[in-house]
Amino acid sequence: MKIYIKHMVSQRCKMIVVQELKKIGLNCITVDLGVVCLPRDLTKDQRCQFKLALHNAGLELIEDKKDVMVEQIKIGVIESIHSSETKLKGPFSTYISNKLNLNYTYLSNLFSASEGITLSHFIIMHKIEYVKELIQYDELTFSEIAYKTHYSSIGHLSNQFKKITGTTLSYYKAHGLKREINIENL
């Protein structure tokens, strides 16, 4: 049985889910971002307990099919941006369409209707947040950051960074600005 979980975006989230399942007497077969495979269905009582535990941890059980799809889109975005193994071989639209086996226009429209922002804007916001994180680590040049975050050039990254944050990459790096955008609310 697969169950889907909203806001599950890190290794820490995975550990919380495993821990909460063990508390209600269940072991999982696999745990990935946003999805858990269980050997059997949850009882009504287990589902209620698990739902409450997830809520207390800032996570949420997803039961609507469209909400599941939106969460899978978000996970695809996060994986493509943060995974050093994932080098996009074309536009993101092709990547997400292939990953979810659905038409990009459908996915984009579904996402926009559900989240109130375009999928393109969501992707850009996450990319810029990751760029900020990489700048704060101070381990890569701007060119390396542009490559790692799938920008075609440092110029493209610089323009988009300035448009979103209102500051240049160099200014941001020199002044150690804190993260202004709260992506959890996107």
Side-chain angles (χ1 to χ4, degrees):
M1 173 196 178
K2 284 187 180 181
I3 54 174
Y4 296 91
I5 301 170
K6 193 171 190 173
H7 309 302
M8 194 173 163
V9 296
S10 68
Q11 196 63 31
R12 183 181 158 276
C13 294
K14 288 181 181 181
M15 292 186 322
I16 289 170
V17 168
V18 170
Q19 179 183 3
E20 295 303 329
L21 284 168
K22 284 183 181 178
K23 284 182 185 176
I24 60 172
L26 290 172
N27 290 316
C28 46
I29 298 170
T30 60
V31 178
D32 291 312
L33 293 181
V35 62
V36 177
C37 290
L38 299 172
R40 58 182 165 76
D41 285 348
L42 296 170
T43 65
K44 191 174 183 178
D45 187 48
Q46 287 173 326
R47 183 176 281 288
C48 287
Q49 287 177 24
F50 188 53
K51 204 172 185 176
L52 179 61
L54 289 176
H55 178 75
N56 291 338
L59 303 171
E60 185 180 329
L61 197 59
I62 305 173
E63 302 183 70
D64 179 74
K65 287 183 182 185
K66 287 185 178 181
D67 289 342
V68 168
M69 187 59 60
V70 169
E71 196 65 19
Q72 292 300 309
I73 294 168
K74 288 180 180 181
I75 290 166
V77 169
I78 292 165
E79 287 175 346
S80 73
I81 293 170
H82 292 271
S83 173
S84 57
E85 295 88 44
T86 305
K87 181 62 183 157
L88 298 180
K89 293 175 177 59
F92 180 80
S93 56
T94 303
Y95 168 78
I96 200 70
S97 291
N98 291 341
K99 183 171 179 63
L100 299 177
N101 243 357
L102 290 167
N103 175 283
Y104 180 77
T105 302
Y106 169 77
L107 294 172
S108 181
N109 290 338
L110 175 67
F111 187 88
S112 295
S114 174
E115 299 300 304
I117 63 169
T118 67
L119 180 52
S120 296
H121 188 68
F122 181 81
I123 293 165
I124 290 167
M125 297 301 284
H126 272 275
K127 285 173 80 170
I128 295 302
E129 280 301 302
Y130 189 45
V131 167
K132 288 178 178 182
E133 189 178 314
L134 293 173
I135 290 170
Q136 289 173 352
Y137 291 152
D138 201 24
E139 296 173 353
L140 302 172
T141 66
F142 291 144
S143 294
E144 291 168 328
I145 290 171
Y147 177 79
K148 186 175 181 92
T149 54
H150 313 292
Y151 281 95
S152 58
S153 69
I154 190 170
H156 185 211
L157 167 59
S158 296
N159 288 337
Q160 206 163 66
F161 190 87
K162 172 98 178 182
K163 185 178 178 182
I164 298 297
T165 67
T167 188
T168 65
L169 293 165
S170 299
Y171 187 87
Y172 185 87
K173 183 174 185 172
H175 293 87
L177 299 174
K178 300 296 179 208
R179 296 163 54 130
E180 300 93 17
I181 302 169
N182 183 355
I183 60 175
E184 299 232 347
N185 293 327
L186 294 179

